[in-house]
Amino acid sequence: MIRDTSGSATAIGLALLLGGLGTGCGRKDGTPAAAPVAVSRPAAKEVVFTDVTRAAGIEFVHTSGAFGRKYLPETMGAGLAFLDYDGDGRQDLFFVNGAEWPEKRRKAATQALYRNRGDGTFEDVTRRAGLAVEMYGIGVAVADFDNDGHVDLAVNSIGGKLILLRSTGGTGHWLEVKLPRFAPGAVVTVTLPDGRRLVQEVHAGSSYLSSEDPRLHFGLGPATRVSKLTVSYPNGKVTRMAGVPADRIVSAS
């Protein structure tokens, strides 16, 4: 996990000098155009990243099973999913893990789920959530396949079948937003009554051979309604809804 310590999400800037780019220009009537003016911008603040993986409580180590001659799976890594598994309004982390090859099994390896505590740290809840599953996982997709308001997991594997992991859900309320068409890059912002904003983006894919539910799932915690729901499309179109009740699938225009 890498944290940006620059204090700005737009920390990279450009300095442009326009004065010497052209060989000459003029107006249609022959009158010389004004000379280009050099434009300079303040130097961008340096962007610095700090490894805060351990400080955040994440101790997951991917197992590839590699030994001797390496094949394709060992070189590919595995999937990672962001999801709010307990409905508290914070994004948790699901790590897909590989496994040791049968002919050289040295240790057990399972998938992993880390719960977001909301203070910049995570706790390992893999066994509590029933996800200590051993398999050579490689890709994962998140979807509410049975429309009960709880996000489920589909994990594909090497040398095995797809594993569908159904969630019984947390204690928080929820909202699922369905757009009128598949719109990768669309950003949905949910504003809660206490002023908190939850933001998610529609993605075209998630990890190896995986594509998530095009509907966006929001855990709302104790909130029983959403004050405002805003959809911003890549083409600049913005739609808004207000006073949306929780615990339902809502279609946004």
Side-chain angles (χ1 to χ4, degrees):
M1 175 176 286
I2 305 297
R3 180 168 62 93
D4 177 3
T5 59
S6 68
S8 171
T10 56
I12 300 177
L14 296 175
L16 301 179
L17 182 62
L18 304 180
L21 298 183
T23 57
C25 57
R27 296 176 182 169
K28 188 176 182 180
D29 61 5
T31 305
V37 177
V39 177
S40 62
R41 298 182 182 179
K45 185 176 181 179
E46 184 179 7
V47 178
V48 179
F49 290 89
T50 304
D51 186 347
V52 295
T53 309
R54 288 193 176 277
I58 298 175
E59 299 179 350
F60 173 79
V61 177
H62 178 255
T63 298
S64 70
F67 72 94
R69 179 181 296 178
K70 296 181 177 60
Y71 300 95
L72 183 62
E74 298 99 326
T75 67
M76 296 179 61
L80 167 67
F82 292 83
L83 72 159
D84 184 358
Y85 90 101
D86 54 358
D88 64 358
R90 298 188 287 265
Q91 292 285 288
D92 310 300
L93 302 174
F94 177 79
F95 292 88
V96 178
N97 207 352
E100 301 284 0
W101 294 117
E103 60 269 30
K104 197 175 181 67
R105 185 177 172 84
R106 293 162 292 189
K107 61 180 180 179
T110 72
Q111 318 310 300
L113 177 66
Y114 282 82
R115 177 180 174 271
N116 188 340
R117 291 193 178 107
D119 59 0
T121 65
F122 295 80
E123 64 171 319
D124 187 342
V125 295
T126 306
R127 295 193 178 278
R128 187 195 314 171
L131 292 174
V133 180
E134 290 189 59
M135 60 184 291
Y136 203 116
I138 195 165
V140 60
V142 176
D144 178 11
F145 83 96
D146 52 0
N147 297 322
D148 64 355
H150 310 310
V151 285
D152 311 296
L153 293 164
V155 183
N156 59 55
S157 64
I158 296 295
K161 297 180 180 179
L162 174 77
I163 303 297
L164 180 60
L165 301 164
R166 179 179 179 271
S167 170
T168 57
T171 58
H173 294 283
W174 56 274
L175 186 72
E176 288 181 6
V177 181
K178 179 181 180 181
L179 302 184
R181 62 186 182 281
F182 184 48
V187 176
V188 178
T189 303
V190 165
T191 304
L192 301 181
D194 63 5
R196 284 189 302 149
R197 295 194 311 156
L198 309 177
V199 182
Q200 292 190 41
E201 180 178 334
V202 178
H203 296 140
S206 52
S207 60
Y208 182 77
L209 294 179
S210 306
S211 184
E212 297 178 348
D213 193 334
R215 302 171 301 180
L216 296 179
H217 177 277
F218 293 86
L220 305 180
T224 58
R225 66 181 180 87
V226 166
S227 299
K228 185 168 62 175
L229 189 158
T230 305
V231 182
S232 301
Y233 290 94
N235 64 2
K237 178 183 177 181
V238 178
T239 63
R240 296 178 177 86
M241 300 174 66
V244 181
D247 302 325
R248 64 193 61 205
I249 300 173
V250 60
S251 295
S253 58

